Amino acid sequence: GLQEFCSNVRLEGCLPTKIALSFYDKVESTFILGLIGSFHMKYKGHFEALLALKHLKENHNLNNITLKLVGTGNPDWVRQLAEDLGVIELVEIVGALNAGEAGILPFIDTIDLYIHPSKTEGLPRVIIEAMSRGKICLGSNVGGTSELIGNEFLHEAGDHLRLAEQILAIYNSSCERKKEIASQNVNTASLYLETVLIYNPVWCYPC
């Protein structure tokens, strides 16, 4: 009757907070969003992300924004959808990347904001990875995402308008506010370090 939980997140370390926060001192001409999810899974939020992008372009004249999509599988349906929605020039399909320091983490280091508007999740390890690099994250309120980020950064699954509002709010946030969120995220991600999960297990006993 005992239960034991084992995370499939293998996080060996977090980016030093000072380095993570220094990213937000930079002033770039393009605001970069990242989304990581397999293209053959049509519930990872690609559709909602593109709809949010369309809303930002048409209603807020936000054209200096790029959505970079990482994942395995055939992205043709996403590319076609971006063309149909009129946002193809704001989308870059990166494709598959290796795990960890060999691909995903260096990619995360280049983005301003990570979004994860998935329709279903467990405990999304990609959000933990993004947080470990000091990235601001937005996500849908499914699975364990609410354990990682606060209500301010959550939206109902499928609510692309709320997602667009949240992206705009982060886009317009001050450097100090961005650093504050980034610092909080690094601290949260540190709770999921491999050493913490191995040497500080939480046991659940039956009532």
Side-chain angles (χ1 to χ4, degrees):
L2 299 179
Q3 292 183 335
E4 181 178 355
F5 298 91
C6 180
S7 171
N8 67 347
V9 177
R10 185 173 185 179
L11 189 63
E12 296 181 349
C14 293
L15 194 66
T17 302
K18 184 176 181 179
I19 297 175
L21 300 190
S22 67
F23 176 87
Y24 294 101
D25 288 322
K26 303 174 184 177
V27 178
E28 302 290 346
S29 59
T30 302
F31 189 79
I32 301 176
L33 309 177
L35 190 162
I36 300 171
S38 298
F39 293 108
H40 65 272
M41 297 179 182
K42 295 189 177 182
Y43 53 77
K44 285 297 183 180
H46 296 95
F47 182 50
E48 288 74 18
L50 293 175
L51 286 175
L53 207 60
K54 177 182 174 66
H55 179 81
L56 291 169
K57 175 184 175 181
E58 295 182 350
N59 295 277
H60 298 280
N61 197 30
L62 202 60
N63 292 305
N64 62 329
I65 188 169
T66 297
L67 172 62
K68 294 189 177 184
L69 302 174
V70 171
T72 57
N74 187 341
D76 286 350
W77 70 274
V78 175
R79 184 179 292 108
Q80 184 61 56
L81 183 59
E83 290 179 354
D84 293 343
L85 293 174
V87 294
I88 188 63
E89 77 280 5
L90 305 180
V91 175
E92 178 182 334
I93 296 178
V94 178
L97 292 176
N98 292 325
E101 295 287 355
I104 286 292
L105 295 183
F107 166 76
I108 291 174
D109 288 343
T110 67
I111 66 176
D112 295 280
L113 173 64
Y114 181 73
I115 63 173
H116 202 72
S118 182
K119 289 186 173 65
T120 182
E121 280 296 336
L123 185 67
R125 59 182 177 181
V126 65
I127 291 183
I128 299 175
E129 289 176 325
M131 295 172 76
S132 78
R133 310 302 286 188
K135 297 305 175 182
I136 302 169
C137 298
L138 302 175
S140 57
N141 61 344
V142 296
T145 304
S146 60
E147 298 178 24
L148 303 174
I149 57 179
N151 289 334
E152 177 184 356
F153 310 105
L154 293 170
H155 62 273
E156 290 284 340
D159 189 351
H160 72 275
L161 292 179
R162 176 60 179 157
L163 174 60
E165 291 173 0
Q166 292 174 320
I167 293 172
L168 186 63
I170 298 300
Y171 176 85
N172 289 325
S173 292
S174 66
C175 175
E176 290 73 21
R177 177 55 178 155
K178 290 175 182 176
K179 288 183 176 183
E180 179 185 353
I181 301 168
S183 179
Q184 291 172 350
N185 284 355
V186 173
N187 290 337
T188 298
S190 69
L191 301 175
Y192 294 85
L193 290 172
E194 186 173 17
T195 52
V196 174
L197 296 178
I198 290 175
Y199 296 111
N200 295 281
V202 177
W203 296 94
C204 295
Y205 296 93
C207 298

